[in-house]
Amino acid sequence: MENGVPPPQRWRFEGNDRLTRAGAVTVRGVLNVVMENLDGNDTRPVIHLGQGDPSAFPSFRTTHFAEDAVCAAVRSAQFNGYSSTVGIPSARSAVAQYLSKELPYKLSADDVFLTIGCAQALEAVVTVLARPGVNILLPRPGFPFYEARASFSSLEVRHFDLVPEKDWEVDLASVEALADENTVAMVIINPGNPCGNVFKYEHLKKVAETAKNLGILVIADEVYDHLTFGSNPFVPMGVFASIAPIITLGSISKRWVVPGWKLGWLVLNDPDRILTKQGIVDSIVGFLNITSDPATFMQGAAPQILENTPSDFFQKIISTLRECADICYEQSKEIPCITCPSKPEGSMFAMIKLNLSLLEGITDDLDFCCKLAKEESIVVLPGFAVGLKNWLRVTFATEPSSLDDGFLRIKTFYQRHAKKQ
């Protein structure tokens, strides 16, 4: 008894188990487990190759044009109030113009919904599609935030495979086999996270045709748009919107190297207005009406950021990513227990296969990453987190010298744990 009040027979509140379970299998959740193994007594700097955030490194500093645009928006005092829940008109128009440059039709401001980064755009589309009994098709390997949000929204997930021997193309036969009358959408991520692949024009067209045959929409996660440095150029999925309706997700986070600025978008590529007829647009507006908005000053800065950033900034970022991708691919060849099936051509990631038969005392990819963190102070994401057990997802968007050091540490780790012949 406290203050004369007897305690209740039982407390009536408790945590939401669905949230606990969903949060544990995200990239951040798994990386937290790996990072708990770091040895605080190691005097070497920790090398982070687990999360795609290169903003801390000098080689990936954003452009001062973007910084000046944000400062000007703040100082103007025009963006201190509330925003419309769907976004400020000038910012929506700027995104529409930015994306329309590569499309065979023009987007309007009404096709654009501004979000708190690409993550909220993802959350919005998954929530909008969730109805009892329906399912969504997700790539394997993929970005686990989709699974987490779908699970929390009670939306059934079915996985189609990306084929490493074909530069991680979609296995369209598996898409058709998985789909049924309750399938509502499929997700593609291009350029690829976690595979570093870039889909060809012909393959994307086949994806759209498959979606049309199945009567589903395509969710095109293009948060890494234009971060390509191989033989395949970036082709926006919206090019094929006359075949099937496309919802494009994106942000300034990756191309401008500012993931903390949290300005994203959800865009309707739908010249036939199928999404409007099916009630999707009204549901998107409804979702945004009950959630938070991106910072108003970031929206105010968007037109200047999107329109005035010089091309040489992007060329510098691409050049650095190309150098780092080459290091990742070539250095992996020097370590017998890992194999990178193809050189990354986009985004900031590579999928690398583990050969556990060459290692002593390593049970799986999580065990590999935890012991690597403890012994070598290097953080890598175990592949099970993105859908491929006994693989690794390596983020190569770091300083080239740090990446070289990282692979030397992985090689040392292999030599220490190599199975005796």
Side-chain angles (χ1 to χ4, degrees):
M1 182 178 294
E2 186 175 343
N3 298 325
V5 179
Q9 292 183 341
R10 65 180 179 87
W11 295 110
R12 301 182 185 278
F13 53 84
E14 60 184 32
N16 187 324
D17 288 341
R18 289 164 61 195
L19 267 180
T20 304
R21 291 193 300 270
V25 297
T26 61
V27 167
R28 290 183 181 181
V30 175
L31 283 176
N32 286 341
V33 173
V34 173
M35 292 174 67
E36 287 172 359
N37 293 272
L38 289 169
D39 184 354
N41 295 318
D42 192 339
T43 57
R44 296 175 297 177
V46 176
I47 296 176
H48 291 278
L49 304 181
Q51 188 171 5
D53 181 2
S55 60
F57 304 113
S59 293
F60 291 94
R61 174 73 183 265
T62 194
T63 172
H64 69 83
F65 287 91
E67 296 169 341
D68 291 347
V70 173
C71 293
V74 171
R75 290 174 178 147
S76 73
Q78 297 178 24
F79 305 105
N80 293 337
Y82 288 117
S83 161
S84 163
T85 58
V86 296
I88 293 173
S90 60
R92 297 175 76 192
S93 293
V95 173
Q97 293 172 19
Y98 168 71
L99 296 177
S100 292
K101 294 175 183 177
E102 297 174 290
L103 299 175
Y105 53 90
K106 294 296 182 184
L107 295 166
S108 74
D110 291 338
D111 296 317
V112 176
F113 302 88
L114 299 182
T115 58
I116 306 173
C118 193
Q120 192 189 36
L122 183 165
E123 180 183 354
V125 72
V126 169
T127 306
V128 162
L129 292 172
R131 293 181 288 110
V134 304
N135 64 77
I136 187 171
L137 308 182
L138 301 181
R140 180 174 53 205
F143 183 51
F145 198 63
Y146 284 96
E147 282 85 352
R149 286 305 317 179
S151 173
F152 187 66
S153 300
S154 299
L155 177 59
E156 181 191 347
V157 166
R158 300 179 181 181
H159 290 99
F160 59 86
D161 291 322
L162 304 181
V163 185
E165 296 80 13
K166 295 184 177 181
D167 294 328
W168 301 103
E169 284 190 348
V170 175
D171 182 350
L172 293 172
S174 72
V175 170
E176 293 176 340
L178 287 168
D180 60 19
E181 66 276 8
N182 294 316
T183 304
V184 293
M186 66 178 292
V187 171
I188 63 164
I189 304 173
N190 183 47
N193 174 12
C195 302
N197 60 300
V198 180
F199 290 131
K200 298 180 178 69
Y201 179 98
E202 295 79 9
H203 186 63
L204 290 172
K205 185 178 181 182
K206 290 178 181 177
V207 169
E209 290 168 345
T210 300
K212 179 180 180 179
N213 292 338
L214 296 173
I216 64 177
L217 67 89
V218 178
I219 300 166
D221 185 327
E222 296 177 354
V223 71
Y224 293 95
D225 68 334
H226 298 286
L227 293 183
T228 61
F229 34 86
S231 57
N232 296 323
F234 168 69
V235 178
M237 191 69 203
V239 167
F240 307 101
S242 61
I243 300 174
I246 313 294
I247 293 181
T248 297
L249 314 181
S251 77
I252 66 169
S253 297
K254 307 300 184 181
R255 196 179 185 199
W256 277 265
V257 204
V258 285
W261 288 12
K262 292 296 180 186
L263 180 64
W265 48 78
L266 183 159
V267 177
L268 309 179
N269 295 275
D270 183 29
D272 296 327
R273 298 301 171 194
I274 297 169
L275 297 172
T276 301
K277 297 170 188 174
Q278 295 297 113
I280 296 295
V281 177
D282 289 341
S283 294
I284 292 170
V285 173
F287 175 88
L288 295 175
N289 281 344
I290 61 172
T291 57
S292 298
D293 316 319
T296 315
F297 66 86
M298 283 305 310
Q299 296 185 55
Q304 293 299 316
I305 293 173
L306 294 173
E307 295 166 13
N308 295 337
T309 300
S311 60
D312 60 352
F313 165 73
F314 299 125
Q315 292 166 1
K316 175 180 178 294
I317 296 297
I318 291 297
S319 177
T320 305
L321 285 173
R322 181 185 293 111
E323 178 184 357
C324 292
D326 288 344
I327 292 171
C328 182
Y329 184 67
E330 296 300 329
Q331 292 280 19
S332 65
K333 295 177 182 178
E334 303 299 317
I335 305 171
C337 68
I338 61 175
T339 303
C340 185
S342 58
K343 183 184 293 187
E345 293 195 339
S347 78
M348 303 173 177
F349 306 100
M351 285 299 290
I352 294 177
K353 190 172 185 177
L354 269 178
N355 186 346
L356 295 175
S357 69
L358 299 180
L359 298 168
E360 293 275 11
I362 305 292
T363 58
D364 58 21
D365 53 339
L366 178 60
D367 190 37
F368 180 95
C369 291
C370 288
K371 289 175 178 173
L372 179 66
K374 181 176 180 61
E375 297 176 25
E376 296 294 339
S377 294
I378 178 171
V379 178
V380 173
L381 183 71
F384 86 89
V386 295
L388 279 189
K389 188 172 178 60
N390 295 332
W391 286 66
L392 308 172
R393 189 195 76 168
V394 175
T395 302
F396 53 77
T398 182
E399 291 297 325
S401 59
S402 182
L403 195 60
D404 274 322
D405 187 14
F407 274 92
L408 285 174
R409 295 191 199 182
I410 296 173
K411 187 173 185 178
T412 300
F413 180 81
Y414 158 72
Q415 292 168 341
R416 185 181 304 119
H417 291 274
K419 185 170 289 186
K420 305 299 184 288
Q421 298 299 319

